[in-house]
Amino acid sequence: LCSIFYGEMDKRYFMLLLNHPKILMMRFIDDMILISPDQRLVEAADMVLHQDIPEFGFHVNPAKTCRAPQSPEKQYISWCGLLISMTDLHICSDNNRFTLTQMKDSLSIVRESKPGKVLARLAVTWAKPKLQNIFLNERYPESIIKRNIQEATAIIAARLASYVLEYEKYSRQSFSDIFLKRVIIDTVDYITQFTLKKCPQMAITRSLSLAPFMEVLKLKKSRFNGIIANIKIDSDCPHSVIELIKSIKF
């Protein structure tokens, strides 16, 4: 409803900005971002956006507004959980929030008569938001798509590991290693097959996602060592993905 409300405001007051060939303007509910290679256009647009629109109760708070001029030191703009490249506008997920709070705090442990089915379903549910077109655009460099896949898999793996640890802690029941291995393989296969549909030109294999999955499980080796020993991979994670995995709290 809020998007419909502000969408009408966009049509009435901001169409010049929305249709300008050198301006990319986006809005998620009431969070707006404007990107342009022309600093003068940014300044002009800034003046337009900072005009109050009482009809819609619209007011831009200067304290919550910032400019991010392009520089060698700053590669990405952070906006609404996304990282937008300042060079070619490719998009990655902003995973910084997973380094600030415990992963378990974002999980709801479901206690049903068939916990295995619940876990298998949740693993796929966690994967879907991470496999949107915005992260797998075939126009992106292949290295960016692969990094997006591996970072997404790392977050999914951390959620799965946290869920297993919390469930077993409070239910006093354990998932078998054979079952968990099956869930991991099925989840990785889902990610791989989905990616191949979106990016058929790429050579994507199961190992691309298995590698970060195993790196996450190694952080909780005392629980998952039996699984790690029985899953073989033939690729490694790049340094940036390893650093993300080490920073996740779970």
Side-chain angles (χ1 to χ4, degrees):
L1 185 60
C2 189
S3 291
I4 296 173
F5 180 77
Y6 280 127
E8 182 62 29
M9 180 187 69
D10 292 343
K11 293 178 183 178
R12 295 191 193 182
Y13 294 96
F14 300 141
M15 288 307 293
L16 286 176
L17 299 180
L18 289 167
N19 292 329
H20 198 288
K22 289 189 176 182
I23 291 177
L24 172 63
M25 178 177 163
M26 299 182 289
R27 178 178 51 77
F28 180 72
I29 313 299
D30 59 349
D31 286 316
M32 304 176 72
I33 185 170
L34 187 144
I35 301 173
S36 175
D38 190 325
Q39 182 65 27
R40 292 172 299 176
L41 284 176
V42 172
E43 293 172 357
D46 191 47
M47 293 180 63
V48 173
L49 292 173
H50 276 80
Q51 294 178 358
D52 290 352
I53 305 177
E55 178 184 358
F56 289 90
F58 179 80
H59 169 74
V60 174
N61 187 343
K64 295 183 178 180
T65 304
C66 68
R67 292 187 187 181
Q70 189 173 13
S71 68
E73 294 77 25
K74 192 174 182 64
Q75 297 181 331
Y76 290 93
I77 304 169
S78 178
W79 179 68
C80 292
L82 304 175
L83 293 177
I84 304 174
S85 168
M86 297 183 71
T87 54
D88 61 8
L89 299 183
H90 74 256
I91 292 177
C92 304
S93 177
D94 186 353
N95 294 310
N96 185 57
R97 62 189 185 279
F98 298 112
T99 69
L100 302 176
T101 60
Q102 290 287 334
M103 184 66 73
K104 64 182 180 181
D105 294 338
S106 66
L107 298 174
S108 296
I109 307 302
V110 181
R111 293 175 176 83
E112 293 186 2
S113 58
K114 297 180 179 180
K117 286 188 176 182
V118 172
L119 180 61
R121 184 178 70 245
L122 284 173
V124 174
T125 300
W126 294 328
K128 287 180 178 179
K130 297 291 185 180
L131 299 174
Q132 301 298 317
N133 291 344
I134 198 171
F135 302 120
L136 304 177
N137 193 310
E138 60 183 11
R139 296 181 181 178
Y140 294 170
E142 184 171 314
S143 61
I144 296 299
I145 295 177
K146 287 184 174 180
R147 190 184 77 182
N148 282 348
I149 294 168
Q150 290 198 307
E151 289 187 356
T153 306
I155 299 301
I156 295 163
R159 280 182 169 153
L160 186 143
S162 295
Y163 189 96
V164 169
L165 293 171
E166 290 299 300
Y167 179 85
E168 294 181 344
K169 177 180 178 180
Y170 291 105
S171 70
R172 298 183 180 180
Q173 297 178 355
S174 297
F175 296 104
S176 72
D177 285 353
I178 294 175
F179 169 74
L180 289 178
K181 178 182 176 181
R182 184 71 265 160
V183 171
I184 291 169
I185 295 299
D186 287 348
T187 304
V188 166
D189 283 347
Y190 175 85
I191 294 170
T192 303
Q193 292 165 14
F194 192 95
T195 304
L196 285 172
K197 288 181 181 179
K198 296 291 183 181
C199 308
Q201 78 284 2
M202 290 179 57
I204 301 294
T205 65
R206 176 190 285 176
S207 290
L208 183 70
S209 292
L210 267 181
F213 228 114
M214 293 302 101
E215 290 296 334
V216 169
L217 296 187
K218 287 177 184 177
L219 297 179
K220 301 293 180 181
K221 188 176 289 187
S222 60
R223 169 59 185 89
F224 299 109
N225 194 50
I227 300 171
I228 297 169
N230 284 286
I231 296 182
K232 305 301 180 183
I233 56 175
D234 55 13
S235 63
D236 299 319
C237 293
H239 177 73
S240 61
V241 178
I242 293 293
E243 290 301 306
L244 169 64
I245 291 170
K246 290 179 178 179
S247 66
I248 297 172
K249 295 183 178 182
F250 74 102

